[in-house]
Amino acid sequence: MLTRVPLRAAIGVATTLLASSLAMGAHADDASQWQRDGHSAVRLLAGSRSGAVLLGGIAFQLQPGWKTYWRMPGDSGVPPRFDFSRSDNVEAVTVMWPAPLKFDDGAGGHSIGYHDQIVLPLRIVAKAADKPVTLRAEINYAVCEKLCIPVEANIELGFNNVASTEDANLRSALDTVPKPANVGDPNPLTIRDIKRDGPKNVVVDVVAPENSKVNLFVEGPTPEWSLPIPDPVEHSPPGVKRFSFELDGLPPGAKPDGAALKFTLVGPEKSYEFNTNLE
């Protein structure tokens, strides 16, 4: 028996199926395709579309034994660079950095960065909240084992969905970004004091849970400052872990007095950032 379907009904069914297909495709667009090189892969993630401020991310995957770098790479390495200027309807993008790790660099020093996989959250401000947003990123980074290999990727991703499948992933990445703190805060993990010890040496006293492993990193007021990684001091005073570093790696003509320094204190569970002016 042949059943005839009215044309209008057939169009309605086709439209419903097409809309469902487009919705599934849009949901898949919460993440771009991986761009791969020989030792790593990178892609963009889109959070939920709501208002003018959006949450996104840059996801990296690294082969075992390979690493990439933090915004300040340490004694060796290359920090990643990002260019979002070709994006549509994007006023500003802020890259947020999860707490990094410290690695031996094989040359007697240490580098700072990540291994395995990492998501850098992005805070994206749209020019107009009611218009489409497309993020275009030119990403330049290095992956290193014993030697470093430069990688360049150009990726784009639209922010389309009211409820993104990547929201939980992005929230987890946000939880690993060090929280703002003040010197002397009464936290179990905190910087108690920062002081000069002579013309070139700086001493930092850290309070941390007993037997916990902590790392301390310091940055100058501009990327041109290349301060050394603070070293733990043997025989620290009771109740503190003392670190010290020398005021080396300053740009020509720069003076340390009154300089705005950023300290990142990384513990096994929590991490904090402290901004202070060097006295």
Side-chain angles (χ1 to χ4, degrees), residues 26 55 83 127 170 180 199:
L55 182 62
D83 183 354
K127 293 179 180 179
L170 292 170

Side-chain angles (χ1 to χ4, degrees), residues 4 10 42 94 96 106 116 149 176 187 212 231 236 264:
R4 295 184 180 275
V42 61
T94 301
M96 292 174 277
D116 295 330
I149 299 173
T176 66
N187 297 324
S212 63
D231 290 318
S236 296
T264 302

